[in-house]
C-alpha cells in the first residue's frame, strides 16, 4: 500500500499508549513514548523549562525517533520517541531537583 499524505495545513500528533522506561546502564534510563502523527517529517527535541530554549547537552540527554512502525495508507504514521537520560550526569545540576519527601527521583 502507499501512504496518503495529509492535506495542506492538516496536522495531528497524539500519544497512542503509555511511556515505558528501562535502565540501560547504572547511569542511564531509556524512556520510549509511542505517537500517531500526520504523515510529515518527524523529530524530537528537549527544551529547558521555558519550553523555548533548546536544552543543549548530549551529556544529559540523547533523543530520537524510530522509523515509522506502521505504513497504513490513511495519511498517518506511528512511531516512538526515545529519550535516553544520564541520571548520574544531571543529578546535582541546577536542572535536577531531588524529591524532598525521602523518595527516590526528582523533577
Amino acid at each position: 500500500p502507499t501512504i496518503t499524505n495529509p492535506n495542506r495545513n492538516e496536522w495531528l500528533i497524539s500519544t497512542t499508549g503509555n511511556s515505558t522506561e528501562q535502565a540501560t546502564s547504572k547511569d542511564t534510563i531509556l524512556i520510549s513514548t509511542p505517537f500517531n502523527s500526520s504523515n510529515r517529517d518527524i523529530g524530537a527535541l528537549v527544551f529547558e523549562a521555558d519550553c523555548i530554549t533548546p536544552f543543549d547537552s548530549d551529556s544529559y540527554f540523547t533523543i530520537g525517533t524510530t522509523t515509522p512502525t506502521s505504513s497504513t495508507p490513511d495519511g498517518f504514521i506511528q512511531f516512538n520517541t526515545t529519550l535516553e537520560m544520564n541520571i548520574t550526569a544531571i543529578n546535582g545540576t541546577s536542572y535536577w531537583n531531588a524529591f524532598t519527601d525521602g523518595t527516590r527521583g526528582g523533577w
Side-chain angles (χ1 to χ4, degrees), residues 13-17 33-37 69 77-81:
I13 188 168
S14 60
T15 59
T16 59
T33 304
F35 284 96
N36 181 57
S37 174
T69 58
I77 55 173
Q78 291 74 46
F79 61 95
N80 293 316
T81 295

Side-chain angles (χ1 to χ4, degrees), residues 27-74:
D27 297 318
T28 59
I29 59 170
L30 179 66
I31 303 166
S32 181
T33 304
F35 284 96
N36 181 57
S37 174
S38 305
N39 186 15
R40 304 263 188 215
D41 290 333
I42 56 174
L45 298 170
V46 175
F47 290 92
E48 292 190 18
D50 65 8
C51 297
I52 298 170
T53 308
F55 192 96
D56 189 26
S57 178
D58 291 338
S59 299
Y60 304 129
F61 299 104
T62 303
I63 192 159
T65 56
T66 63
T67 56
T69 58
S70 171
S71 60
T72 305
D74 62 358

Side-chain angles (χ1 to χ4, degrees), residues 78-93:
Q78 291 74 46
F79 61 95
N80 293 316
T81 295
T82 58
L83 172 78
E84 189 164 30
M85 182 176 176
N86 187 324
I87 299 296
T88 303
I90 203 167
N91 192 17
T93 69

